[in-house]
CSV table of all heavy atoms in Angstrom, one decimal:
chain,number,residue,atom,x,y,z
W,1,SER,N,-80.9,6.9,34.2
W,1,SER,CA,-81.0,8.1,33.3
W,1,SER,C,-82.5,8.4,33.0
W,1,SER,O,-83.4,7.6,33.1
W,1,SER,CB,-80.3,7.7,31.9
W,1,SER,OG,-80.5,8.7,31.0
W,2,THR,N,-82.6,9.7,32.6
W,2,THR,CA,-84.0,10.1,32.1
W,2,THR,C,-84.0,10.2,30.6
W,2,THR,O,-84.9,10.8,30.0
W,2,THR,CB,-84.3,11.5,32.7
W,2,THR,OG1,-83.3,12.5,32.3
W,2,THR,CG2,-84.4,11.4,34.2
W,3,VAL,N,-83.1,9.6,29.9
W,3,VAL,CA,-83.0,9.6,28.4
W,3,VAL,C,-84.4,9.1,27.9
W,3,VAL,O,-84.9,8.1,28.4
W,3,VAL,CB,-81.8,8.7,27.9
W,3,VAL,CG1,-82.1,7.3,28.2
W,3,VAL,CG2,-81.6,9.0,26.4
W,4,PRO,N,-84.9,9.7,26.9
W,4,PRO,CA,-86.2,9.2,26.3
W,4,PRO,C,-86.1,7.8,25.8
W,4,PRO,O,-85.1,7.4,25.2
W,4,PRO,CB,-86.5,10.2,25.2
W,4,PRO,CG,-85.2,10.9,24.9
W,4,PRO,CD,-84.4,10.9,26.1
W,5,VAL,N,-87.2,7.0,26.0
W,5,VAL,CA,-87.2,5.6,25.6
W,5,VAL,C,-88.5,5.4,24.8
W,5,VAL,O,-89.6,5.8,25.3
W,5,VAL,CB,-87.2,4.7,26.8
W,5,VAL,CG1,-87.4,3.2,26.3
W,5,VAL,CG2,-85.9,4.8,27.5
W,6,ILE,N,-88.4,4.8,23.6
W,6,ILE,CA,-89.6,4.3,22.9
W,6,ILE,C,-89.6,2.8,22.8
W,6,ILE,O,-88.5,2.2,22.4
W,6,ILE,CB,-89.6,4.9,21.5
W,6,ILE,CG1,-89.7,6.5,21.5
W,6,ILE,CG2,-90.8,4.3,20.6
W,6,ILE,CD1,-89.7,7.1,20.1
W,7,MET,N,-90.6,2.2,23.2
W,7,MET,CA,-90.7,0.7,23.1
W,7,MET,C,-91.3,0.3,21.8
W,7,MET,O,-92.2,1.0,21.2
W,7,MET,CB,-91.6,0.2,24.2
W,7,MET,CG,-91.2,0.5,25.6
W,7,MET,SD,-89.6,-0.2,26.1
W,7,MET,CE,-89.8,-1.9,26.0
W,8,LEU,N,-90.8,-0.8,21.2
W,8,LEU,CA,-91.3,-1.4,20.0
W,8,LEU,C,-91.9,-2.7,20.3
W,8,LEU,O,-91.3,-3.6,21.0
W,8,LEU,CB,-90.2,-1.5,19.0
W,8,LEU,CG,-89.4,-0.3,18.7
W,8,LEU,CD1,-88.2,-0.6,17.7
W,8,LEU,CD2,-90.3,0.8,18.0
W,9,SER,N,-93.2,-2.9,19.9
W,9,SER,CA,-93.8,-4.2,20.1
W,9,SER,C,-94.5,-4.7,18.9
W,9,SER,O,-95.0,-4.0,18.1
W,9,SER,CB,-94.9,-4.0,21.2
W,9,SER,OG,-95.7,-5.2,21.4
W,10,ALA,N,-94.4,-6.1,18.7
W,10,ALA,CA,-95.0,-6.7,17.5
W,10,ALA,C,-96.5,-6.8,17.7
W,10,ALA,O,-97.2,-7.1,16.7
W,10,ALA,CB,-94.4,-8.1,17.3
W,11,ARG,N,-97.0,-6.5,18.8
W,11,ARG,CA,-98.5,-6.6,19.1
W,11,ARG,C,-98.9,-5.3,19.7
W,11,ARG,O,-98.2,-4.7,20.5
W,11,ARG,CB,-98.8,-7.7,20.0
W,11,ARG,CG,-98.4,-9.1,19.4
W,11,ARG,CD,-98.7,-10.1,20.5
W,11,ARG,NE,-97.9,-9.9,21.7
W,11,ARG,CZ,-98.1,-10.5,22.9
W,11,ARG,NH1,-99.1,-11.3,23.0
W,11,ARG,NH2,-97.3,-10.3,23.9
W,12,ALA,N,-100.2,-4.9,19.5
W,12,ALA,CA,-100.7,-3.7,20.2
W,12,ALA,C,-101.4,-4.3,21.4
W,12,ALA,O,-102.5,-3.9,21.8
W,12,ALA,CB,-101.7,-3.0,19.3
W,13,ASP,N,-100.7,-5.2,22.1
W,13,ASP,CA,-101.2,-5.9,23.3
W,13,ASP,C,-101.2,-5.0,24.5
W,13,ASP,O,-100.2,-4.3,24.7
W,13,ASP,CB,-100.4,-7.2,23.5
W,13,ASP,CG,-101.0,-8.0,24.6
W,13,ASP,OD1,-100.9,-7.6,25.8
W,13,ASP,OD2,-101.6,-9.0,24.3
W,14,SER,N,-102.3,-4.9,25.2
W,14,SER,CA,-102.4,-4.0,26.3
W,14,SER,C,-101.3,-4.3,27.3
W,14,SER,O,-100.8,-3.4,27.9
W,14,SER,CB,-103.8,-4.1,27.0
W,14,SER,OG,-104.8,-3.6,26.1
W,15,ILE,N,-101.1,-5.6,27.6
W,15,ILE,CA,-100.1,-5.9,28.6
W,15,ILE,C,-98.7,-5.4,28.2
W,15,ILE,O,-98.0,-4.8,28.9
W,15,ILE,CB,-100.0,-7.4,28.8
W,15,ILE,CG1,-101.4,-7.9,29.4
W,15,ILE,CG2,-98.9,-7.8,29.7
W,15,ILE,CD1,-101.5,-9.4,29.6
W,16,ASP,N,-98.3,-5.6,26.9
W,16,ASP,CA,-97.0,-5.1,26.4
W,16,ASP,C,-96.9,-3.6,26.6
W,16,ASP,O,-95.9,-3.1,27.0
W,16,ASP,CB,-96.8,-5.5,24.9
W,16,ASP,CG,-96.4,-7.0,24.7
W,16,ASP,OD1,-96.1,-7.6,25.7
W,16,ASP,OD2,-96.4,-7.4,23.6
W,17,VAL,N,-97.9,-2.9,26.1
W,17,VAL,CA,-97.9,-1.5,26.1
W,17,VAL,C,-97.8,-1.0,27.6
W,17,VAL,O,-97.0,-0.1,27.9
W,17,VAL,CB,-99.2,-0.9,25.5
W,17,VAL,CG1,-99.3,0.6,25.7
W,17,VAL,CG2,-99.2,-1.2,24.0
W,18,VAL,N,-98.7,-1.5,28.4
W,18,VAL,CA,-98.7,-1.0,29.8
W,18,VAL,C,-97.4,-1.3,30.6
W,18,VAL,O,-96.9,-0.5,31.3
W,18,VAL,CB,-100.0,-1.5,30.6
W,18,VAL,CG1,-99.9,-1.2,32.0
W,18,VAL,CG2,-101.2,-1.0,30.0
W,19,LEU,N,-96.9,-2.5,30.4
W,19,LEU,CA,-95.7,-2.9,31.0
W,19,LEU,C,-94.5,-2.0,30.6
W,19,LEU,O,-93.7,-1.5,31.4
W,19,LEU,CB,-95.3,-4.4,30.8
W,19,LEU,CG,-96.1,-5.4,31.5
W,19,LEU,CD1,-95.7,-6.8,31.0
W,19,LEU,CD2,-96.0,-5.3,33.0
W,20,GLY,N,-94.5,-1.7,29.3
W,20,GLY,CA,-93.4,-0.8,28.8
W,20,GLY,C,-93.5,0.6,29.4
W,20,GLY,O,-92.5,1.2,29.8
W,21,LEU,N,-94.7,1.1,29.4
W,21,LEU,CA,-94.9,2.5,29.9
W,21,LEU,C,-94.7,2.5,31.4
W,21,LEU,O,-94.1,3.5,32.0
W,21,LEU,CB,-96.3,3.0,29.6
W,21,LEU,CG,-96.6,3.2,28.1
W,21,LEU,CD1,-98.1,3.5,27.9
W,21,LEU,CD2,-95.7,4.2,27.5
W,22,GLU,N,-95.1,1.5,32.2
W,22,GLU,CA,-94.9,1.5,33.6
W,22,GLU,C,-93.5,1.3,33.9
W,22,GLU,O,-93.0,1.8,35.0
W,22,GLU,CB,-95.7,0.3,34.2
W,22,GLU,CG,-97.2,0.6,34.3
W,22,GLU,CD,-98.0,-0.5,34.9
W,22,GLU,OE1,-97.4,-1.7,35.0
W,22,GLU,OE2,-99.2,-0.3,35.3
W,23,ALA,N,-92.7,0.7,33.0
W,23,ALA,CA,-91.2,0.6,33.3
W,23,ALA,C,-90.5,1.9,33.1
W,23,ALA,O,-89.3,2.0,33.4
W,23,ALA,CB,-90.7,-0.4,32.3
W,24,GLY,N,-91.2,2.9,32.5
W,24,GLY,CA,-90.6,4.2,32.4
W,24,GLY,C,-90.5,4.7,30.9
W,24,GLY,O,-89.9,5.8,30.7
């Protein structure tokens, strides 16, 4: 699906952020 997705992370960690965005 192309449904919008917002990731929630307990840290502003670059790895968490980038992995989530790269996942779509």
